[in-house]
Amino acid sequence: MSTAQKPRIGITLGDVNGVGPEVVIKALTDNRLLNLVTPVVYGSARVITFYKKLLNIEELNYTQVRGKGQYAPKSINVVNCWEDVLEVNPGKASPETGKASLVALQQACEDLKEGLIDALVTAPIDKHSVHSDAFPFKGHTEYLTQFFGAQESLMFMVSDTLRVGLVTEHIPVKDIAAAITKERIEAKLRLMEQSLRKDFGINKPRIAVLGLNPHAGDGGLLGEEDEKIIKPVVTEQKNKGKLVYGPYAADGFFAAGSHTKYDAVLAMYHDQGLVPFKTLAFEQGVNFTAGLSVVRTSPDHGTAYTLAGKNNADESSLRHAIYQAHDIFKHRNEPSTEK
């Protein structure tokens, strides 16, 4: 498509018993989005109607997609991904809704691969409900990495003021240290730098690297990984002319506001990066999968079953995920963008 046109943004409903449908509906009631993108929702018109009535939201109108890729550019488009009537029980996980969320995700990914949509925003799935022989993955990131044939990807949490990437993602804490290798850190740094250039338009990105152990190992007193693995990688990157710094002790780094001096931060493991990110940028935070040939974002929260169906879910992160998908797609397709 021409970048002068509105990007077609696919949006999956996620697990329909979670907050996914609610935050999608609420986000799409913002007419400003329709001026920027053509939304294509993957799920079920019946589910959307159910939640519209439950939440007493009348201002959302949509068009059901009758032919593949035939979207109304000035409307919210809904792709019905299953014909069976699906029982919706807000707040309750079920194998049926897990299977339905996978069907919607698979169809959206196929359409993205075929060029029928330009980017993808995924609402939360329930990892337990969706896990099966057809989905032996720990989450969206791992699934999308394989589906789109990427050797490696980066879970990149982004907001207007903070970007945090992860060296390790969904692995047990007891396995983290063994997974911190020179090759893995180098790969994640490479993906982060490429993404900052290609997806965010930052030509000379400054990247901070966090240490693994308390106080970044304290000179080897609290573990050897920081001195023997992480620090040499940082030194090599500097010698190549990269603006990479660290390793920094994670607690003091964020407490002192040092993250504001860098374009992105590379954390060693999930909670080290996501706890400060969600504390500082939860409502505006977006999960972006860097390193793929396609653009995929998602809100930075889960299914939140305890909130489902109560009209208390905040759609801000989902809305920002749509805006971010739009912006990254535009960055990638600007003729002047440095690749």
Side-chain angles (χ1 to χ4, degrees):
M1 63 160 281
S2 166
T3 53
Q5 297 176 311
K6 295 189 298 182
R8 302 157 298 178
I9 306 295
I11 306 167
T12 59
L13 287 181
D15 192 296
V16 300
N17 284 348
V19 297
E22 179 177 337
V23 296
V24 169
I25 290 170
K26 287 180 174 179
L28 293 179
T29 59
D30 186 345
N31 289 326
R32 293 173 298 179
L33 280 174
L34 291 179
N35 294 327
L36 280 178
V37 306
T38 298
V40 183
V41 179
Y42 289 83
S44 164
R46 288 194 183 101
V47 171
I48 292 176
T49 298
F50 172 89
Y51 276 100
K52 279 184 62 179
K53 292 179 179 178
L54 180 66
L55 305 173
N56 195 28
I57 297 175
E58 298 179 359
E59 60 267 31
L60 184 84
N61 297 309
Y62 58 84
T63 301
Q64 296 190 54
V65 177
R66 302 300 181 186
K68 198 169 185 180
Q70 296 179 1
Y71 313 131
K74 296 182 180 180
S75 177
I76 298 163
N77 299 268
V78 177
V79 178
N80 290 300
C81 298
W82 55 83
E83 297 180 0
D84 299 338
V85 176
L86 183 67
E87 185 177 0
V88 180
N89 292 301
K92 297 182 179 179
S94 78
E96 291 75 24
T97 58
K99 181 179 179 180
S101 67
L102 177 56
V103 169
L105 176 62
Q106 290 172 328
Q107 185 162 344
C109 288
E110 291 288 353
D111 285 358
L112 183 57
K113 182 178 283 188
E114 291 180 30
L116 298 177
I117 55 177
D118 299 304
L120 177 62
V121 177
T122 57
I125 56 175
D126 179 73
K127 295 177 179 63
H128 297 286
S129 298
V130 76
H131 197 271
S132 64
D133 291 340
F135 194 88
F137 305 96
K138 297 175 182 177
H140 278 112
T141 301
E142 295 83 357
Y143 171 79
L144 293 163
T145 302
Q146 177 173 302
F147 187 94
F148 290 102
Q151 290 187 343
E152 186 76 76
S153 65
L154 174 72
M155 180 183 280
F156 208 3
M157 309 302 293
V158 300
S159 74
D160 292 340
T161 58
L162 179 62
R163 301 181 189 93
V164 177
L166 304 180
V167 174
T168 63
E169 297 160 2
H170 299 120
I171 66 173
V173 171
K174 65 181 178 63
D175 298 332
I176 291 173
I180 302 298
T181 64
K182 175 179 183 289
E183 293 75 20
R184 192 164 193 160
I185 298 171
E186 288 174 338
K188 299 298 184 178
L189 276 172
R190 182 174 62 253
L191 289 174
M192 177 175 281
E193 186 192 25
Q194 290 173 349
S195 180
L196 290 168
R197 292 174 181 271
K198 179 175 68 173
D199 302 325
F200 299 94
I202 302 170
N203 290 328
K204 199 69 174 174
R206 293 172 56 86
I207 298 173
V209 177
L210 301 182
L212 172 65
N213 296 294
H215 308 297
D218 204 4
L221 294 176
L222 300 176
E224 297 181 339
E225 293 85 359
D226 301 273
E227 289 291 324
K228 292 188 175 181
I229 299 174
I230 303 173
K231 191 173 181 179
V233 172
V234 172
T235 300
E236 286 183 15
Q237 293 293 311
K238 285 183 178 179
N239 291 339
K240 293 178 181 178
K242 307 294 185 182
L243 302 181
V244 177
Y245 306 89
Y248 297 112
D251 57 346
F253 182 81
F254 289 102
S258 298
H259 58 279
T260 61
K261 301 174 184 177
Y262 300 92
D263 297 302
V265 180
L266 185 66
M268 291 298 115
Y269 57 93
H270 186 278
D271 284 15
Q272 185 189 58
L274 266 65
V275 168
F277 182 85
K278 291 188 176 185
T279 300
L280 296 169
F282 185 69
E283 291 184 356
Q284 293 81 33
V286 173
N287 180 358
F288 167 52
T289 307
L292 302 183
S293 59
V294 298
V295 178
R296 176 263 174 167
T297 64
S298 74
D300 66 352
H301 59 73
T303 52
Y305 284 128
T306 57
L307 295 178
K310 298 177 181 178
N311 207 11
N312 291 327
D314 188 334
E315 74 279 13
S316 300
S317 183
L318 192 282
R319 182 184 293 114
H320 280 274
I322 298 172
Y323 280 124
Q324 194 69 256
H326 166 276
D327 292 347
I328 293 171
F329 175 77
K330 287 290 188 178
H331 270 301
R332 286 192 178 188
N333 289 277
E334 285 291 338
S336 60
T337 299
E338 182 178 341
K339 304 299 184 185

